[in-house]
Amino acid sequence: MLDRLKEICTLDGTSGDESAVREYIMNNITADEVSVDQLGNLIVFKKGRKSPKNKIMLAAHMDEVGFMVTDVTADGFFRFGAVGGVDPRVVLGRAVRFKNGTLGVIGTKATHQQSADERKKAPDFDNMYIDIGASSAEMAEKLVSRGDTACFDTEFFSFGDGFVKGKAIDDRAGCLIMMDMINSELPYDMWFVFTVQEEVGTRGAKAAAFTVAPDIALVLETTTACDFSGVGGDKRVCQLGKGAVVSYMDRSTIYDRELYKLAFDTAEKLGVPAQTKTLVAGGNDSGAIHVSNGGIRTCALSVPCRYLHSPSCVIKMSDFEATKALAAAMAEACAEL
């Protein structure tokens, strides 16, 4: 599972350009129906041993945060904007990779050239550039064009006591969980949607939920954990090593209360660890799904993740396995709820 997580996370799939991830998933699942909608959502139906009382849909997003080129300077540097919620403080000095393999580095002017006020804060995107080693605009534009997207170019590795670091674990972890379910023998018929453009406003999920029109949706995600030195109490949100995270509320969704309770009851029966957030924060595809098509009962199950939306997302594999087990059991429980 660790090798497969590395494979899918190292693929590049900035919001709106998820084709490499979609193709990987399509080539590594066996299902009864597979289709791609006009936005690029991958919609999969897998027949189980029985037909469920409730139509179940599981969702995870394929896209990751990244950057889009907006302009090129006369001396061959690219101006750019963020695609999704990227903190400028995690960007400066990072290596990036374009879809055609072109590599670059994000930079800004040297500290000794900055004003006293500029040195007190991180530069914003307007004051950074992508350097691909070109010496002119003409040379740069032979490799990269306005509108091209780039992702963090970073190494995936395991470390410490079962920890894993890499880009795009948000939400390739959820995608991999669903792929594993699709390739297993399911107790009930189920729908799976691998959505696009979650990071820029849950756009793909809105379309996919309308198409599938489920009774119950389970959203598989990663969520921010702040369990490190200097952060205490409810500000830690959730913790690595404490299992799957079951949300009761975030900035876009108040989750179905019965499903929230069912998730913890199911985790207890399974003997897998589960936790909830200690702070109302963030959001995911649930925000679009639960208000689609007349309303859909929705539950979110997440892998806790440190340093989200950075080149160094960190999870613990035991939490991934707990979320995977809980997702399968919850889908079965919801089928006959």
Side-chain angles (χ1 to χ4, degrees):
M1 189 63 76
L2 182 61
D3 290 341
R4 292 169 61 205
L5 184 62
K6 178 179 180 179
E7 283 182 355
I8 196 169
C9 287
T10 51
L11 297 172
D12 294 339
T14 305
S15 302
D17 193 12
E18 301 91 349
S19 59
V21 183
R22 184 170 56 246
E23 289 173 14
Y24 174 86
I25 294 169
M26 293 175 70
N27 290 334
N28 287 278
I29 58 172
T30 302
D32 295 281
E33 296 178 24
V34 178
S35 63
V36 180
D37 69 14
Q38 299 283 11
L39 282 182
N41 293 305
L42 177 61
I43 301 175
V44 177
F45 172 73
K46 178 65 180 284
K47 192 164 183 59
R49 294 191 297 272
K50 295 185 289 184
S51 296
K53 174 183 173 183
N54 296 307
K55 189 176 186 180
I56 304 300
M57 181 184 83
L58 293 98
H61 68 89
M62 297 182 287
D63 60 314
E64 64 187 287
V65 297
F67 313 97
M68 183 176 288
V69 169
T70 58
D71 201 8
V72 59
T73 66
D75 45 359
F77 296 92
F78 289 107
R79 299 296 182 188
F80 66 95
V83 179
V86 186
D87 187 337
R89 292 174 296 179
V90 306
V91 169
L92 187 60
R94 301 295 185 180
V96 296
R97 180 176 59 244
F98 289 90
K99 191 172 184 178
N100 65 2
T102 298
L103 300 175
V105 176
I106 295 177
T108 191
K109 61 184 178 182
T111 300
H112 66 271
Q113 294 177 325
Q114 297 175 4
S115 68
D117 287 340
E118 287 176 327
R119 287 195 293 269
K120 292 178 182 178
K121 58 183 180 180
D124 57 27
F125 293 116
D126 290 339
N127 293 307
M128 288 188 275
Y129 53 80
I130 298 176
D131 179 358
I132 66 165
S135 57
S136 67
E138 182 180 6
M139 180 183 294
E141 288 178 314
K142 289 179 180 179
L143 295 171
V144 176
S145 302
R146 293 170 181 83
D148 285 354
T149 56
C151 296
F152 289 116
D153 183 44
T154 183
E155 186 181 359
F156 182 103
F157 59 77
S158 56
F159 67 103
D161 183 21
F163 292 86
V164 172
K165 170 264 181 188
K167 76 170 183 69
I169 294 177
D170 172 28
D171 181 32
R172 307 289 165 72
C175 291
L176 187 57
I177 289 171
M178 295 204 320
M179 291 174 65
D180 200 59
M181 289 182 65
I182 292 168
N183 289 332
S184 67
E185 184 179 355
L186 296 176
Y188 294 96
D189 301 347
M190 290 181 190
W191 291 85
F192 301 83
V193 295
F194 299 86
T195 65
V196 298
Q197 300 190 40
E198 189 269 353
E199 299 292 3
V200 291
T202 65
R203 299 168 187 174
K206 182 180 294 186
F210 185 85
T211 298
V212 176
D215 298 306
I216 295 175
L218 300 177
V219 176
L220 306 184
E221 255 286 13
T222 59
T223 194
T224 301
C226 299
D227 58 332
F228 41 82
S229 179
V231 180
D234 61 346
K235 301 297 185 183
R236 295 170 75 85
V237 187
C238 57
Q239 299 182 57
L240 272 65
K242 299 290 186 180
V245 180
V246 185
S247 297
Y248 56 87
M249 179 180 174
D250 56 38
R251 290 175 181 168
S252 61
T253 311
I254 298 176
Y255 292 90
D256 185 283
R257 291 178 180 274
E258 185 180 2
L259 297 182
Y260 175 75
K261 183 178 184 302
L262 179 64
F264 282 103
D265 291 344
T266 303
E268 185 176 1
K269 290 178 183 177
L270 280 176
V272 299
Q275 59 184 311
T276 194
K277 292 183 178 182
T278 55
L279 196 69
V280 175
N284 54 54
D285 275 339
S286 301
I289 292 171
H290 83 287
V291 293
S292 180
N293 203 48
I296 297 169
R297 301 180 67 187
T298 304
C299 179
L301 307 175
S302 304
V303 180
C305 180
R306 295 175 186 156
Y307 325 124
L308 209 66
H309 292 186
S310 82
S312 300
C313 300
V314 171
I315 64 169
K316 191 166 187 178
M317 286 304 291
S318 61
D319 297 326
F320 174 88
E321 295 293 347
T323 307
K324 176 174 172 285
L326 183 56
M330 271 292 286
E332 181 174 356
C334 288
E336 294 294 337
L337 192 62

